[in-house]
Amino acid sequence: MKVYADNAATTQMSRTAIDAMLPYMERIYGNPSSLYTIGQEAAEALLQARTVMAKYLGCEAREITFTSGGSEADNQALLTGATLGEKKGKKHIISTAIEHHAILHMLKRLEKQGFEITLLDVPENGIISAEQVRNAIREDTCLVTVMYANNEIGTIQPIAEIGVVCKEKGVLFHTDAVQAAGHLPIDVKKENIDMLSLSAHKFHGPKGVGALYVRKGVPLTNLIEGGGQERGKRAGTENVPGIMSMAAAFEETCENMEKNAVKVAALRDKLIAGLARIPHSVLNGDPLQRLPGNVNFCFEGIEGESLLLLLDERGISASSGSACTSGSLEPSHVLLAIGRPHEIAHGSLRLSLSENSTEAEVDYILKAVPEVVDYLRKMSPVWRDLVEGRKEFLL
Amino acid sequence: MALYSDIVMDHFKNPRNVGVIENADGIGEVGNARCGDIMKIYLKIDNDIVSDVKFETFGCGSAIASSSMATEMIKGKPLSEVLKVTNKAVAEALDGLPAHRLHCSVLAEEAIKAAVQDYYEKNHIDYDRSQFPNCDDCEHCGTCR
């Protein structure tokens, strides 16, 4: 059996998304900046796509800028906040310890440029409070950036409450909604969000395309200089097929959001209940305030990469926060931030479902994971030390 | 191209010599759980020859494969040859390891040497200390320092 359970990494494109891009590769391939018919048809299509994105985010079409994806949108949002702040002599930015690297690495860069960065700590459930943000805001704070939902542990942040605080304090508020868009209802106006990043391939759209919502009146700082595309704020000929496909995927996923969320959350909860029966394991992230498709566990005494390889052998695609899977020597910064010790963080497993997941797949995972964990524990000297009492169990 | 060679995958999926030797003559344990890999090697030594070897490993695929390969390379060998097994030889026998996983083969070499050293110490046998790695030379993750 083949089970794709890594939808937080990327998703399979939907038929709707694939079909939506084809006309813009085959027939309407004109450059939207050209004045002849197939150019203008492409320009018209872009406007439609922008309108669709805006409708489901609760904003105006002109407030949507198309980008190459979530990372670019995140980078541009942070640079924008920093540039605007610097003009007013405000060089303090607030974020959280569990952001995506597209945020954290840009913050590092800004820190080198003289900005002061406050990363809010998260409690074990991974949820910060609006009070934490309120308490961290200073006279010189120019930007608050808090992810909508976490990519590893699925935790959903109180975005609307943080939005209220930022509005009250007059601080620009950005949210990285890459994991949330298309999966959770978002209304940027109601939630007082000034900037929001999203990525098409997390909701069955294509890779290499995303969007940045920016409230009108907030002047964007360019990352890419060149032609006058995207109101002069993002140069480069628009990825018309990708954008059309993203809009179609977004419309489809938003129209079916409630139905999908009910189905996926039920599968998620079954998976969580089943995996929780593995001794000396723990669920990472909040059990309730979490993305419908996210499951993340740590299993004591084993390492995540070998777990992934053995699951792959059984046809299951999943991910882990172990050092070996991150390509660095440190395990996931998110798991460390919620208080998991290094040795526990190395033994993590993330399974992320979508509406294409089935109960049979969940049953298959629930059979495979305990067997693989057991197999790896039996060859683990760490596990032997634990069961023979030379070390104390942490979980 | 796959991340790992066929030989690595074979040793990972069908590891040789997994387990424990009760009353082993030498035991070597290297690495630490904090950095995500620990290797433990058990030796049975008869007349200076490794008559049996077992391992336990907590770690990634290449760590398990390196342990498995290393145990195969020293089984039945005299200690003089066992001490000549290098991390490079382990990695080559595996048909290479990705650059950032080479430390797994280093751990295998160190685990073998630690087990032999343990055997010498337990039996009060004189040996050349320069043949053995010193913890300070470890260029692994550095998290234990």
Side-chain angles (χ1 to χ4, degrees):
Chain A
M1 191 173 194
K2 289 280 177 209
V3 179
Y4 184 73
D6 204 14
N7 288 280
T10 194
T11 56
Q12 181 183 31
M13 280 183 72
S14 66
R15 193 70 248 166
T16 308
I18 295 169
D19 289 343
M21 69 198 312
L22 297 178
Y24 300 92
M25 299 196 274
E26 290 170 343
R27 286 183 294 112
I28 312 167
Y29 51 81
N31 188 320
S33 301
S34 301
L35 57 79
Y36 41 74
T37 310
I38 59 165
Q40 287 309 297
E41 281 172 355
E44 176 57 33
L46 282 182
L47 178 60
Q48 282 170 24
R50 215 179 293 281
T51 307
V52 168
M53 299 305 292
K55 174 180 167 192
Y56 292 103
L57 290 173
C59 65
E60 293 173 29
R62 61 195 292 253
E63 294 175 309
I64 300 292
T65 299
F66 295 124
T67 69
S68 67
S71 293
E72 185 190 330
D74 281 344
N75 278 211
Q76 189 164 15
L78 297 199
L79 278 187
T80 295
T83 306
L84 293 172
E86 197 161 25
K87 277 184 193 159
K88 296 181 197 155
K90 295 182 172 188
K91 294 184 77 170
H92 176 235
I93 299 174
I94 298 168
S95 188
T96 77
I98 61 169
E99 297 296 307
H100 189 271
H101 287 128
I103 298 291
L104 292 178
H105 289 178
M106 182 51 91
L107 290 175
K108 276 264 167 249
R109 182 161 132 189
L110 290 169
E111 196 170 30
K112 280 185 196 145
Q113 293 171 11
F115 283 82
E116 204 180 319
I117 312 295
T118 299
L119 293 184
L120 300 174
D121 286 331
V122 295
E124 193 187 351
N125 70 1
I127 302 175
I128 67 155
S129 68
E131 271 317 290
Q132 277 179 281
V133 175
R134 182 189 296 279
N135 294 337
I137 291 178
R138 315 189 308 210
E139 279 297 304
D140 62 341
T141 304
C142 60
L143 176 68
V144 169
T145 174
V146 175
M147 69 200 321
Y148 210 110
N150 184 268
N151 50 312
E152 294 188 38
I153 59 172
T155 295
I156 301 167
Q157 302 296 350
I159 293 300
E161 291 170 37
I162 298 169
V164 168
V165 169
C166 291
K167 190 179 181 190
E168 204 183 291
K169 298 276 188 180
V171 177
L172 208 58
F173 177 38
H174 166 254
T175 183
D176 169 358
V178 166
Q179 293 291 331
H183 304 287
L184 300 174
I186 295 176
D187 186 320
V188 292
K189 301 292 168 189
K190 275 193 194 148
E191 294 169 87
N192 291 302
I193 297 166
D194 295 312
M195 295 188 278
L196 175 144
S197 312
L198 62 83
S199 176
H201 75 108
K202 307 293 192 189
F203 48 79
H204 307 286
K207 292 163 185 64
V209 59
L212 175 61
Y213 150 78
V214 189
R215 181 170 55 76
K216 87 187 149 196
V218 177
L220 275 177
T221 298
N222 287 31
L223 281 185
I224 304 176
E225 300 292 350
Q229 293 89 354
E230 299 301 292
R231 300 159 50 84
K233 297 303 178 188
R234 202 279 183 181
T237 300
E238 301 87 343
N239 174 5
V240 183
I243 291 166
M244 299 314 291
S245 182
M246 168 169 68
F250 198 51
E251 180 167 41
E252 185 174 54
T253 192
C254 289
E255 285 294 334
N256 293 293
M257 190 181 289
E258 270 187 56
K259 186 183 76 183
N260 289 344
V262 169
K263 180 197 161 177
V264 178
L267 294 176
R268 172 198 69 189
D269 292 341
K270 181 173 184 181
L271 203 43
I272 289 175
L275 294 176
R277 286 206 289 269
I278 295 176
H280 306 289
S281 65
V282 67
L283 174 71
N284 295 312
D286 193 84
L288 302 173
Q289 282 296 102
R290 81 189 288 134
L291 287 167
N294 178 285
V295 176
N296 191 318
F297 269 83
C298 283
F299 305 108
E300 189 160 17
I302 61 163
E303 192 277 334
E305 195 226 34
S306 43
L307 178 60
L308 294 190
L309 289 171
L310 291 173
L311 290 177
D312 185 36
E313 277 299 303
R314 296 180 178 222
I316 299 170
S317 306
S319 105
S320 169
S322 79
C324 272
T325 53
S326 70
S328 76
L329 289 167
E330 281 287 298
S332 147
H333 68 285
V334 176
L335 296 177
L336 296 179
I338 63 168
R340 300 284 178 249
H342 278 68
E343 46 270 54
I344 297 298
H346 285 299
S348 78
L349 174 69
R350 179 186 72 182
L351 297 155
S352 43
L353 309 174
S354 85
E355 62 273 27
N356 298 334
S357 305
T358 65
E359 186 138 14
E361 290 178 348
V362 167
D363 290 339
Y364 183 77
I365 295 171
L366 284 177
K367 186 172 182 307
V369 174
E371 288 174 7
V372 170
V373 168
D374 191 48
Y375 169 81
L376 287 170
R377 279 178 171 172
K378 284 197 172 123
M379 71 159 81
S380 162
V382 176
W383 184 251
R384 181 175 302 278
D385 283 347
L386 292 167
V387 294
E388 292 179 0
R390 283 185 296 277
K391 274 186 200 149
E392 281 194 27
F393 281 104
L394 296 170
L395 299 181
Chain B
M1 208 197 97
L3 173 63
Y4 291 131
S5 71
D6 290 346
I7 302 177
V8 172
M9 284 310 290
D10 177 40
H11 276 264
F12 168 65
K13 284 187 282 174
N14 309 295
R16 283 62 149 177
N17 312 308
V18 176
V20 177
I21 297 175
E22 297 299 338
N23 306 314
D25 296 314
I27 299 175
E29 182 173 322
V30 297
N32 70 62
R34 205 180 140 84
C35 5
D37 31 34
I38 292 190
M39 268 180 213
K40 194 166 183 179
I41 289 200
Y42 302 82
L43 300 177
K44 188 86 200 151
I45 296 170
D46 292 305
N47 299 322
D48 259 17
I49 287 174
V50 174
S51 57
D52 196 13
V53 51
K54 295 278 185 207
F55 82 88
E56 291 182 305
T57 291
F58 161 88
C60 61
S62 52
I64 291 170
S66 296
S67 320
S68 168
M69 180 57 87
T71 57
E72 284 285 272
M73 291 167 79
I74 63 168
K75 206 172 185 176
K77 297 278 165 60
L79 291 183
S80 56
E81 277 184 47
V82 167
L83 288 173
K84 284 181 193 147
V85 170
T86 62
N87 63 72
K88 205 165 159 242
V90 174
E92 275 168 12
L94 288 168
D95 200 14
L97 283 172
H100 60 290
R101 309 290 167 88
L102 279 171
H103 71 265
C104 295
S105 58
V106 174
L107 279 181
E109 178 193 326
E110 288 177 351
I112 292 169
K113 290 191 167 154
V116 174
Q117 193 171 17
D118 180 51
Y119 164 73
Y120 286 153
E121 294 280 349
K122 272 183 187 158
N123 293 282
H124 310 291
I125 299 170
D126 249 358
Y127 62 96
D128 175 6
R129 279 177 196 274
S130 68
Q131 282 181 292
F132 295 89
N134 161 340
C135 197
D136 296 336
D137 298 336
C138 171
E139 290 180 2
H140 193 223
C141 60
T143 50
C144 57
R145 284 185 192 158

